Amino acid sequence: YMHSETHRLFPKIRSLAHVHAPALTQLSLLADVPNDSLTLNAGFWPDRVPVYDEPDLVRDRETAQRLARLQGREVVCLLRWHGAMIAAPSIRQAVVRAIHAEENARFILGTMSLGRDVVPLMHGEERKAMYAKIATPKHLAAYWQFESSLVALPPEGPGAKI
């Protein structure tokens, strides 16, 4: 339901990755989730990270619509005690963003444990503009090539078996 309702409410979001990544799940446990992007590749990190607080799975359209409206057009929405939703215009971008979101969450948690001040990336439009310069189609293709080399992917095309 969460995928179909997000697509219905926000047609420009063409792909969602629903992940149970450990650091993103751990970050969802914090009462006040940091809004810092600590790596250039996570420049999509929201200035305000939405957190879905319902302690149950999304099992129907009504619940999925609440989640979709909470996430809105943000790339990352944490699912308290569960994981995260990562939005993107394509499946490849959603996967790459999910990897970078998990990395950013690990960096946030790690730097919090140091008890020292952190220098995050800028916020707002300045961060979005910086990320747009980095997250080019060429960068996405190179990153996808690297990450996909680490796993065995099924063949593509008509009749391909998964």
Side-chain angles (χ1 to χ4, degrees):
Y1 292 105
M2 62 182 71
H3 300 272
S4 63
E5 294 310 306
T6 297
H7 297 313
R8 190 180 329 276
L9 292 169
F10 302 99
K12 289 186 178 183
I13 297 175
R14 304 289 305 212
S15 183
L16 287 174
H18 173 189
V19 298
H20 302 110
L24 286 166
T25 303
Q26 189 176 7
L27 203 60
S28 82
L29 304 176
L30 298 176
D32 185 23
V33 176
N35 62 354
D36 295 324
S37 177
L38 300 182
T39 70
L40 294 174
N41 287 328
F44 57 79
W45 195 260
D47 284 332
R48 184 197 62 78
V49 180
V51 181
Y52 181 73
D53 278 320
E54 296 187 30
D56 197 1
L57 300 176
V58 176
R59 301 173 194 268
D60 55 49
R61 286 184 66 188
E62 181 182 318
T63 307
Q65 288 172 358
R66 283 197 304 275
L67 171 58
R69 285 188 181 100
L70 174 70
Q71 183 165 3
R73 290 178 175 81
E74 296 293 356
V75 171
V76 177
C77 179
L78 297 177
L79 309 173
R80 182 102 54 212
W81 315 286
H82 187 82
M85 293 291 292
I86 312 297
S90 72
I91 291 173
R92 287 184 180 195
Q93 283 178 297
V95 170
V96 168
R97 285 178 177 179
I99 292 166
H100 290 314
E102 173 67 2
E103 179 181 74
N104 193 59
R106 280 195 322 267
F107 279 36
I108 288 171
L109 295 166
T111 56
M112 287 174 69
S113 72
L114 298 174
R116 308 281 304 255
D117 289 339
V118 175
V119 180
L121 292 175
M122 65 292 288
H123 288 88
E125 294 304 314
E126 191 178 10
R127 180 160 71 194
K128 288 178 184 174
M130 179 276 313
Y131 181 68
K133 287 192 273 185
I134 290 172
T136 64
K138 183 177 179 181
H139 176 261
L140 175 65
Y143 197 81
W144 181 264
Q145 181 68 33
F146 169 74
E147 289 294 335
S148 64
S149 73
L150 303 176
V151 296
L153 296 176
E156 296 183 24
K161 294 183 180 181
I162 294 178

